[in-house]
mmCIF file of all heavy atoms in Angstrom:
data_model
loop_
_atom_site.group_PDB
_atom_site.id
_atom_site.type_symbol
_atom_site.label_atom_id
_atom_site.label_comp_id
_atom_site.label_asym_id
_atom_site.label_seq_id
_atom_site.Cartn_x
_atom_site.Cartn_y
_atom_site.Cartn_z
ATOM 1 N N LEU A 168 -14.791 28.335 -6.748
ATOM 2 C CA LEU A 168 -14.668 26.935 -7.196
ATOM 3 C C LEU A 168 -13.245 26.596 -7.693
ATOM 4 O O LEU A 168 -13.208 25.730 -8.530
ATOM 5 C CB LEU A 168 -15.600 26.727 -8.396
ATOM 6 C CG LEU A 168 -17.147 27.056 -8.429
ATOM 7 C CD1 LEU A 168 -17.560 26.991 -9.877
ATOM 8 C CD2 LEU A 168 -17.780 26.001 -7.639
ATOM 9 N N GLY A 169 -12.273 27.261 -7.191
ATOM 10 C CA GLY A 169 -10.978 27.206 -7.857
ATOM 11 C C GLY A 169 -10.010 26.165 -7.476
ATOM 12 O O GLY A 169 -8.880 26.173 -7.994
ATOM 13 N N LEU A 170 -10.345 25.228 -6.550
ATOM 14 C CA LEU A 170 -9.374 24.326 -6.029
ATOM 15 C C LEU A 170 -8.555 23.575 -7.106
ATOM 16 O O LEU A 170 -7.320 23.479 -7.085
ATOM 17 C CB LEU A 170 -9.992 23.335 -5.106
ATOM 18 C CG LEU A 170 -9.189 22.216 -4.501
ATOM 19 C CD1 LEU A 170 -8.007 22.681 -3.728
ATOM 20 C CD2 LEU A 170 -10.076 21.349 -3.574
ATOM 21 N N ARG A 171 -9.266 23.195 -8.144
ATOM 22 C CA ARG A 171 -8.565 22.363 -9.192
ATOM 23 C C ARG A 171 -7.686 23.246 -10.081
ATOM 24 O O ARG A 171 -6.904 22.632 -10.846
ATOM 25 C CB ARG A 171 -9.620 21.670 -10.081
ATOM 26 C CG ARG A 171 -10.525 22.509 -10.767
ATOM 27 C CD ARG A 171 -11.654 21.797 -11.397
ATOM 28 N NE ARG A 171 -12.419 21.131 -10.425
ATOM 29 C CZ ARG A 171 -13.310 20.172 -10.671
ATOM 30 N NH1 ARG A 171 -13.544 19.810 -11.890
ATOM 31 N NH2 ARG A 171 -13.905 19.533 -9.744
ATOM 32 N N ARG A 172 -7.780 24.497 -9.992
ATOM 33 C CA ARG A 172 -6.922 25.407 -10.825
ATOM 34 C C ARG A 172 -5.855 26.026 -10.069
ATOM 35 O O ARG A 172 -5.069 26.851 -10.611
ATOM 36 C CB ARG A 172 -7.775 26.512 -11.478
ATOM 37 C CG ARG A 172 -8.957 25.950 -12.298
ATOM 38 C CD ARG A 172 -8.493 25.218 -13.551
ATOM 39 N NE ARG A 172 -9.563 24.690 -14.300
ATOM 40 C CZ ARG A 172 -9.724 23.423 -14.635
ATOM 41 N NH1 ARG A 172 -8.728 22.543 -14.339
ATOM 42 N NH2 ARG A 172 -10.718 22.984 -15.378
ATOM 43 N N ALA A 173 -5.734 25.742 -8.764
ATOM 44 C CA ALA A 173 -4.758 26.417 -7.931
ATOM 45 C C ALA A 173 -3.377 25.757 -7.999
ATOM 46 O O ALA A 173 -3.247 24.668 -8.607
ATOM 47 C CB ALA A 173 -5.281 26.451 -6.447
ATOM 48 N N GLN A 174 -2.431 26.372 -7.366
ATOM 49 C CA GLN A 174 -1.055 25.763 -7.312
ATOM 50 C C GLN A 174 -1.033 24.762 -6.223
ATOM 51 O O GLN A 174 -0.301 24.916 -5.236
ATOM 52 C CB GLN A 174 -0.014 26.854 -7.093
ATOM 53 C CG GLN A 174 0.063 27.847 -8.355
ATOM 54 C CD GLN A 174 1.019 28.974 -8.060
ATOM 55 O OE1 GLN A 174 1.679 29.061 -7.077
ATOM 56 N NE2 GLN A 174 1.071 29.905 -9.049
ATOM 57 N N GLY A 175 -1.706 23.593 -6.421
ATOM 58 C CA GLY A 175 -1.654 22.580 -5.416
ATOM 59 C C GLY A 175 -2.618 22.897 -4.314
ATOM 60 O O GLY A 175 -3.249 23.863 -4.221
ATOM 61 N N PRO A 176 -2.693 21.855 -3.319
ATOM 62 C CA PRO A 176 -3.661 21.924 -2.233
ATOM 63 C C PRO A 176 -3.610 23.170 -1.434
ATOM 64 O O PRO A 176 -4.701 23.770 -1.133
ATOM 65 C CB PRO A 176 -3.304 20.678 -1.393
ATOM 66 C CG PRO A 176 -2.593 19.758 -2.280
ATOM 67 C CD PRO A 176 -1.844 20.659 -3.300
ATOM 68 N N ASP A 177 -2.438 23.652 -1.019
ATOM 69 C CA ASP A 177 -2.361 24.817 -0.108
ATOM 70 C C ASP A 177 -2.637 26.044 -0.923
ATOM 71 O O ASP A 177 -3.193 27.028 -0.439
ATOM 72 C CB ASP A 177 -1.033 24.877 0.557
ATOM 73 C CG ASP A 177 -1.066 23.913 1.707
ATOM 74 O OD1 ASP A 177 -1.936 23.050 1.760
ATOM 75 O OD2 ASP A 177 -0.129 23.980 2.519
ATOM 76 N N GLY A 178 -2.291 26.107 -2.211
ATOM 77 C CA GLY A 178 -2.689 27.210 -3.026
ATOM 78 C C GLY A 178 -4.189 27.305 -3.120
ATOM 79 O O GLY A 178 -4.748 28.385 -3.040
ATOM 80 N N GLY A 179 -4.884 26.182 -3.200
ATOM 81 C CA GLY A 179 -6.355 26.121 -3.171
ATOM 82 C C GLY A 179 -6.916 26.617 -1.877
ATOM 83 O O GLY A 179 -7.877 27.381 -1.883
ATOM 84 N N LEU A 180 -6.232 26.288 -0.822
ATOM 85 C CA LEU A 180 -6.723 26.772 0.497
ATOM 86 C C LEU A 180 -6.548 28.268 0.622
ATOM 87 O O LEU A 180 -7.437 28.967 1.165
ATOM 88 C CB LEU A 180 -5.966 26.071 1.636
ATOM 89 C CG LEU A 180 -6.344 24.659 1.988
ATOM 90 C CD1 LEU A 180 -5.431 24.016 3.044
ATOM 91 C CD2 LEU A 180 -7.780 24.567 2.500
ATOM 92 N N SER A 181 -5.390 28.776 0.176
ATOM 93 C CA SER A 181 -5.256 30.234 0.244
ATOM 94 C C SER A 181 -6.295 30.950 -0.631
ATOM 95 O O SER A 181 -6.845 31.956 -0.248
ATOM 96 C CB SER A 181 -3.844 30.598 -0.319
ATOM 97 O OG SER A 181 -2.880 30.075 0.472
ATOM 98 N N ALA A 182 -6.529 30.349 -1.826
ATOM 99 C CA ALA A 182 -7.549 30.947 -2.665
ATOM 100 C C ALA A 182 -8.932 31.052 -1.997
ATOM 101 O O ALA A 182 -9.615 31.992 -2.082
ATOM 102 C CB ALA A 182 -7.605 30.179 -3.948
ATOM 103 N N SER A 183 -9.279 29.896 -1.362
ATOM 104 C CA SER A 183 -10.638 29.854 -0.714
ATOM 105 C C SER A 183 -10.668 30.920 0.379
ATOM 106 O O SER A 183 -11.652 31.674 0.555
ATOM 107 C CB SER A 183 -10.815 28.498 -0.104
ATOM 108 O OG SER A 183 -10.803 27.583 -1.155
ATOM 109 N N LYS A 184 -9.623 30.925 1.212
ATOM 110 C CA LYS A 184 -9.642 31.867 2.395
ATOM 111 C C LYS A 184 -9.652 33.281 1.978
ATOM 112 O O LYS A 184 -10.495 34.124 2.482
ATOM 113 C CB LYS A 184 -8.359 31.545 3.208
ATOM 114 C CG LYS A 184 -8.180 32.339 4.403
ATOM 115 C CD LYS A 184 -6.740 32.079 4.965
ATOM 116 C CE LYS A 184 -6.678 32.037 6.447
ATOM 117 N NZ LYS A 184 -5.360 31.688 6.896
ATOM 118 N N TYR A 185 -8.810 33.662 1.009
ATOM 119 C CA TYR A 185 -8.633 35.033 0.703
ATOM 120 C C TYR A 185 -9.756 35.592 -0.213
ATOM 121 O O TYR A 185 -10.058 36.703 -0.277
ATOM 122 C CB TYR A 185 -7.219 35.418 0.261
ATOM 123 C CG TYR A 185 -6.246 35.133 1.340
ATOM 124 C CD1 TYR A 185 -5.362 34.109 1.328
ATOM 125 C CD2 TYR A 185 -6.337 35.869 2.498
ATOM 126 C CE1 TYR A 185 -4.506 33.775 2.405
ATOM 127 C CE2 TYR A 185 -5.436 35.534 3.583
ATOM 128 C CZ TYR A 185 -4.601 34.546 3.522
ATOM 129 O OH TYR A 185 -3.767 34.253 4.601
ATOM 130 N N SER A 186 -10.348 34.636 -0.966
ATOM 131 C CA SER A 186 -11.551 35.024 -1.724
ATOM 132 C C SER A 186 -12.736 35.341 -0.776
ATOM 133 O O SER A 186 -13.520 36.261 -1.073
ATOM 134 C CB SER A 186 -12.009 33.895 -2.692
ATOM 135 O OG SER A 186 -10.950 33.573 -3.643
ATOM 136 N N TYR A 187 -12.768 34.590 0.282
ATOM 137 C CA TYR A 187 -13.846 34.807 1.260
ATOM 138 C C TYR A 187 -13.626 36.135 1.911
ATOM 139 O O TYR A 187 -14.549 36.963 2.011
ATOM 140 C CB TYR A 187 -13.789 33.699 2.293
ATOM 141 C CG TYR A 187 -14.815 33.698 3.301
ATOM 142 C CD1 TYR A 187 -16.209 33.537 2.972
ATOM 143 C CD2 TYR A 187 -14.535 33.938 4.651
ATOM 144 C CE1 TYR A 187 -17.210 33.572 3.952
ATOM 145 C CE2 TYR A 187 -15.545 34.005 5.665
ATOM 146 C CZ TYR A 187 -16.872 33.804 5.246
ATOM 147 O OH TYR A 187 -17.892 33.867 6.240
#
Side-chain angles (χ1 to χ4, degrees):
Chain A
L168 304 167
L170 177 54
R171 62 190 58 192
R172 303 294 178 231
Q174 292 176 5
D177 283 11
L180 283 175
S181 297
S183 302
K184 184 191 215 174
Y185 297 112
S186 298
Y187 185 64

